[in-house]
């Protein structure tokens, strides 16, 4: 891992960009902390630069609560090399939505499963690097982003102790099956009227999770309309489980 | 309203029993408060004496958050006179559950609708009496109990400014229709594996509410297994809306 830039934000947050191989990422830590802090790995839908304003807002909240926060670019997104197969799947999704048709299972699988297979080991390598820094300790929370990545990470990565998931993207059926193996505490946000989201699939996924502690927190509004108090509840969830 | 007994609990809470006509009730207030406090009217499934341990726990939390709390006995429950028609409906519910059969709409209507028709005016008369006390001010929050009573109260009683509802009892279809007229902020608790509750009916009811601000908070476990942090979230909801 190489740090490529560093700046101090106005509220005592140190923001450092890094690369891990060819994967760009950003790390936010408290400028001064008495002891190593737990880490929240933040997901996003792809396009880290475009998502920066929302990511830095979430990171500032996390640092204020006593965590480090980090994110990496998704495969085939942002400045990373593309993939013809993924471009084709994205075009198929757009075509279906524009035609007012349901997005078929086949398209969802082609869009999401390669992403999960590629992104999860990259997240794990990122944890290897970040947890070797003296200012960061475990445990790790995973927050938001493509929910299928969160599901797989929760199954395969024992350093993830709790996950706050956002039911806001397509979920392959095989991932709903994987969800039965998840046992860590979960806090699941659902925007009830999310125009790009199948509510019943989200409820099925929530039902499938094997975790004894799982909370579904459904609020009104569309994809980007998560109310501030829902963010507060998610922060309390991480504080309960990572400290 | 006549106060019939008074005791000081160990944490600065004054508990007073009262009667309003032939309806028994209990009022909990802070022993010392600089100004009148908002009121939370607490529902329960009927049988106020039997429910007392849980009611006083909820009341203590509410008083600690700066509210007064009160509850009254439901019609045909506890020490109040019974009703042959309601006894018949209760027996029909038991018979259906013991036979492993669904509880039909007709039985649900016979069980719940007379209760709503009778209990709601009694709640309103209780508000008239309690809000005339110098130590209590508006606004009022309604919390828990038979959810259909909460729905009707939210529609007809303008002094109710926010409601925390518990999706844990039978809901007549006509009440789901009434729910479309509810516009106050709602915080709805759902126990995902509630043995006595139809999950889909609860989701349909949540969907029906006309409120712009409504949050569904679903947790694992059965009817009485609401986790403590879900109670904390409900308390934060009332603090946001009643203060």
């Amino acid at each position: 891992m190489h740090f490529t830039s560093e700046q101090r934000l106005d509220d005592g947050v140190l923001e450092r960009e890094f690369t891990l191989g060819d994967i760009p990422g950003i790390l936010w830590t408290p400028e001064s902390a008495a002891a190593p802090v737990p880490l929240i790995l933040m997901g996003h839908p792809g396009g880290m630069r475009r998502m920066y304003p929302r990511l830095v807002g979430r990171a500032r909240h996390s640092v204020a609560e006593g965590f480090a926060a980090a994110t990496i670019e998704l495969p085939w997104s942002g400045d990373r090399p593309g993939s013809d197969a993924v471009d084709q799947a994205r075009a198929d999704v757009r075509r279906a939505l524009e035609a007012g048709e349901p997005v078929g299972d086949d398209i969802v699988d082609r869009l999401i499963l390669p992403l999960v297979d590629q992104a999860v080991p990259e997240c794990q390598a990122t944890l290897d690097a970040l947890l070797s820094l003296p200012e960061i300790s475990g445990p790790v929370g995973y927050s938001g982003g493509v929910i299928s990545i969160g599901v797989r990470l929760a199954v395969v990565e024992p350093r993830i102790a709790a996950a706050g998931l956002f039911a806001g993207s397509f979920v392959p059926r095989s991932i709903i099956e994987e969800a039965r193996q998840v046992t860590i505490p979960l806090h699941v946000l659902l925007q009830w009227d999310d125009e790009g989201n199948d509510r019943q699939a989200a409820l099925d996924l929530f039902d499938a999770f094997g975790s004894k502690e799982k909370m579904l927190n459904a609020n009104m509004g569309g994809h980007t309309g998560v109310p501030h108090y829902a963010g507060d509840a998610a922060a309390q969830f991480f504080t309960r489980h990572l400290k």
Side-chain angles (χ1 to χ4, degrees), chain A:
Chain A
M1 189 175 60
H2 296 285
F3 288 111
T4 55
S5 77
E6 172 174 323
Q7 65 168 319
R8 279 163 179 74
L9 308 184
D10 51 14
D11 45 5
V13 177
L14 180 63
E15 176 180 289
R16 284 174 284 180
E17 302 198 9
F18 62 84
T19 55
L20 185 76
D22 64 349
I23 309 166
I26 313 176
L27 171 65
W28 294 269
T29 50
E31 263 196 279
S32 55
V37 290
L39 173 66
I40 293 180
L41 185 63
M42 300 189 303
H44 57 79
M48 191 175 69
R49 298 283 157 219
R50 183 175 55 90
M51 293 298 295
Y52 176 83
R54 283 168 68 189
L55 288 165
V56 73
R58 289 163 61 195
R60 284 178 138 138
H61 265 109
S62 294
V63 172
E65 302 280 338
F67 300 105
T71 195
I72 56 173
E73 183 59 278
L74 285 186
W76 317 304
S77 284
D79 301 333
R80 299 186 65 185
S83 147
D84 288 346
V86 168
D87 286 349
Q88 182 61 51
R90 287 174 181 159
D92 291 345
V93 169
R94 264 196 306 276
R95 205 165 14 239
L97 292 178
E98 281 165 13
E101 291 167 4
V103 178
D105 287 351
D106 162 67
I107 302 176
V108 171
D109 284 357
R110 284 190 285 119
L111 182 74
I112 300 293
L113 294 179
L115 183 66
V116 172
D117 289 341
Q118 181 76 20
V120 166
E122 293 180 354
C123 287
Q124 293 181 292
T126 304
L127 292 187
D128 293 343
L130 293 175
L131 292 172
S132 71
L133 297 174
E135 61 268 40
I136 299 178
S137 67
V140 179
Y142 178 81
S143 166
V146 176
I147 194 166
S148 296
I149 295 175
V151 172
R152 174 76 58 81
L153 265 176
V155 172
V156 303
E157 178 47 69
R159 292 173 291 188
I160 306 268
L165 302 176
F166 184 36
S169 47
F170 300 108
V171 181
R173 290 187 190 275
S174 62
I175 294 286
I176 295 182
E177 288 308 308
E178 278 185 56
R180 301 186 197 284
Q181 301 169 48
V182 174
T183 58
I184 60 172
L186 298 176
H187 185 93
V188 181
L189 281 178
L190 169 64
Q191 288 299 95
W192 198 251
D193 299 317
D194 193 337
E195 54 290 342
N197 188 24
D198 180 336
R199 186 195 299 162
Q200 191 56 52
L203 294 171
D204 290 346
L205 177 61
F206 179 73
D207 193 46
F209 283 122
S211 306
K212 253 197 277 190
E213 181 180 338
K214 54 180 177 180
M215 177 195 277
L216 178 71
N217 192 327
N219 293 282
M220 287 307 95
H223 191 77
T224 58
V226 179
H228 68 91
Y229 48 82
D232 294 346
Q236 288 162 9
F237 166 81
F238 281 120
T239 296
R240 263 201 326 277
H241 289 290
L242 301 183
K243 293 208 169 170

